[in-house]
C-alpha cells in the first residue's frame, strides 16, 4: 500500500497538502445538521453544536462518568490513564474503551445524533476507532501539547487515510480558563510531517505526555498565522466535532473548575486499520 502521509523519517519537518476530502457526503440535502455547519466543518475542520443533549441526559452521563472514575480498579487493565507527575494519589486523566465498559456510554456512542452525523460526514458506515472519558481535573489537569490525531493513528496504528473524526460530548460547562481544547482552524488541510523515530510501545507514555510525533514550531506558527487559534468553551450538552487531522492541544487546568467530556472517534469502515 502506498503511504500517502509519511512522517517521522526525515531530519527536517515538512508540510504537505491534504489530498483527500473532508466531507464525504454525496449531497447536503440529507445533512442532519445545518448546511452552513457542514460548510464550516469542511473549511475549519472543527465545529461546535450546542444543545445537542439536554440537561437530564447530561446528568445521567456525568453520573456515569463520575462512577467510572471512583472505581478504576473495576475497569479493564490498561484503560485507565493517570495524570503525569502527580504527587501521592493517582489522579485519573482518561478512561479508554468506555463504549465497551459502560452501558450508558455504549448508548451514547450509537446515538444517531453522533453516529448518524458521523456516517453522513464520512460518507460510509462507521465504527468506533476509540472512545474515552477525558477528565481535566481542577488544579491538576495537565496540558496536551499540539498534535494531529491522524499523524499518530497513521504512523503508530496504521490508519490508512484521513477519513475519521472525533466527537467530544461536553459533560460539564467548559470555563474558558479551565484548559479547553485549542484548535487551529484550517490546519486539517495540511499534514505536518514530524521529525524523529517512534520508540517501541510509545503509546504507553504518550497518553500521559507526548514526546514523539510533535509538530515543529515553525509549522505550528505558519498554521496559526493562516487560520488563527480558537478555544471554544462550550456549555454542557454541546458536541465539538473535529476532523482527525485538525491540529489541537490544551493548556493545564489550574482553575477550581473541572472539565469532563466523553470522546468518540468514528472511523469510516472503508478506512479501517
Ligand atoms: Fe488529540
Amino acid at each position: 500500500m502506498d503511504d500517502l502521509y509519511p512522517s517521522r523519517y526525515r531530519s527536517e519537518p515538512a508540510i504537505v497538502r491534504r489530498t483527500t476530502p473532508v466531507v464525504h457526503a454525496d449531497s447536503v440535502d440529507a445533512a442532519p445538521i445545518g448546511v452552513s455547519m457542514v460548510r464550516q466543518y469542511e473549511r475549519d475542520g472543527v465545529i461546535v453544536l450546542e444543545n445537542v443533549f439536554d440537561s437530564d441526559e447530561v446528568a445521567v452521563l456525568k453520573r456515569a462518568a463520575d462512577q467510572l472514575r471512583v472505581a478504576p480498579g473495576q475497569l479493564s487493565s490498561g484503560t485507565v490513564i493517570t495524570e503525569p507527575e502527580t504527587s501521592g494519589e493517582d489522579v485519573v486523566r482518561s478512561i479508554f474503551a468506555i463504549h465497551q465498559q459502560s452501558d450508558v456510554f455504549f448508548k451514547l456512542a450509537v446515538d444517531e445524533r453522533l453516529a448518524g452525523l458521523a456516517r453522513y460526514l464520512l460518507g460510509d458506515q462507521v465504527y468506533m476507532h476509540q472512545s474515552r472519558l477525558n477528565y481535566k481535573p481542577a488544579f491538576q489537569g495537565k496540558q496536551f501539547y499540539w498534535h494531529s490525531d491522524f499523524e499518530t493513528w497513521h504512523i503508530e496504528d496504521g490508519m490508512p487515510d484521513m477519513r475519521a473524526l472525533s466527537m467530544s460530548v461536553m459533560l460539564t460547562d467548559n470555563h474558558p480558563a479551565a484548559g479547553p481544547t485549542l484548535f487551529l482552524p484550517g490546519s486539517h488541510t495540511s499534514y505536518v510531517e514530524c521529525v524523529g523515530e517512534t520508540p517501541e510501545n510509545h503509546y504507553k507514555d504518550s497518553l500521559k505526555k507526548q514526546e514523539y510525533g510533535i509538530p515543529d514550531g515553525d509549522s505550528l506558527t505558519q498554521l496559526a498565522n493562516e487560520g488563527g487559534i480558537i478555544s471554544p468553551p462550550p456549555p454542557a450538552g454541546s458536541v465539538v466535532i473535529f476532523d482527525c487531522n485538525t491540529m489541537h492541544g490544551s493548556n493545564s487546568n489550574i482553575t477550581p473548575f473541572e472539565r469532563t467530556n466523553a470522546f468518540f472517534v468514528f472511523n469510516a469502515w472503508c478506512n479501517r486499520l
Side-chain angles (χ1 to χ4, degrees), residues 36-265:
S36 64
M37 275 294 174
V38 176
R39 296 275 176 255
Q40 192 183 335
Y41 176 75
E42 191 165 41
R43 183 192 68 201
D44 294 344
V46 53
I47 50 170
V48 179
L49 305 177
E50 294 197 1
N51 299 312
V52 179
F53 295 93
D54 67 30
S55 56
D56 291 344
E57 292 174 306
V58 169
V60 170
L61 296 168
K62 181 68 168 60
R63 203 176 315 127
D66 289 340
Q67 282 167 353
L68 290 173
R69 175 157 57 163
V70 297
Q74 294 175 14
L75 300 171
S76 304
S77 69
T79 62
V80 181
I81 309 297
T82 54
E83 292 286 351
E85 297 155 23
T86 46
S87 54
E89 209 179 337
D90 280 346
V91 176
V92 175
R93 176 178 174 93
S94 305
I95 297 173
F96 277 79
I98 52 170
H99 67 294
Q100 295 173 331
Q101 305 197 81
S102 156
D103 290 342
V104 170
F105 289 110
F106 176 82
K107 280 194 197 127
L108 180 60
V110 299
D111 191 298
E112 277 298 290
R113 287 169 284 182
L114 303 183
L117 179 54
R119 277 200 308 277
Y120 171 78
L121 292 171
L122 296 173
D124 194 7
Q125 294 299 311
V126 296
Y127 73 97
M128 190 62 59
H129 172 64
Q130 190 186 99
S131 73
R132 63 179 188 259
L133 280 161
N134 282 332
Y135 304 92
K136 195 101 180 187
F139 305 117
Q140 312 230 45
K142 297 292 189 297
Q143 69 160 41
F144 280 93
Y145 195 68
W146 293 109
H147 63 281
S148 149
D149 292 328
F150 175 74
E151 198 271 351
T152 300
W153 296 336
H154 181 62
I155 298 299
E156 297 196 23
D157 304 335
M159 181 180 283
D161 205 347
M162 297 177 186
R163 198 160 175 174
L165 54 78
S166 295
M167 294 189 176
S168 185
V169 180
M170 303 298 141
L171 306 188
T172 51
D173 291 336
N174 279 235
H175 192 284
T181 308
L182 312 171
F183 296 95
L184 301 185
S187 58
H188 62 310
T189 60
S190 298
Y191 179 72
V192 180
E193 286 185 17
C194 302
V195 168
E197 283 182 37
T198 315
E200 283 295 310
N201 290 325
H202 172 237
Y203 72 96
K204 288 182 182 167
D205 297 319
S206 70
L207 296 174
K208 286 175 185 271
K209 191 169 186 296
Q210 180 97 10
E211 292 183 44
Y212 299 87
I214 293 177
D216 64 291
D218 288 346
S219 298
L220 290 169
T221 304
Q222 183 181 328
L223 295 175
N225 282 336
E226 286 170 2
I229 301 177
I230 60 167
S231 55
S238 307
V239 181
V240 177
I241 303 168
F242 61 100
D243 179 81
C244 61
N245 189 47
T246 303
M247 196 67 80
H248 62 286
S250 67
N251 288 310
S252 297
N253 182 12
I254 59 169
T255 74
F257 310 118
E258 69 163 6
R259 185 202 100 188
T260 303
N261 55 52
F263 194 92
F264 300 99
V265 181

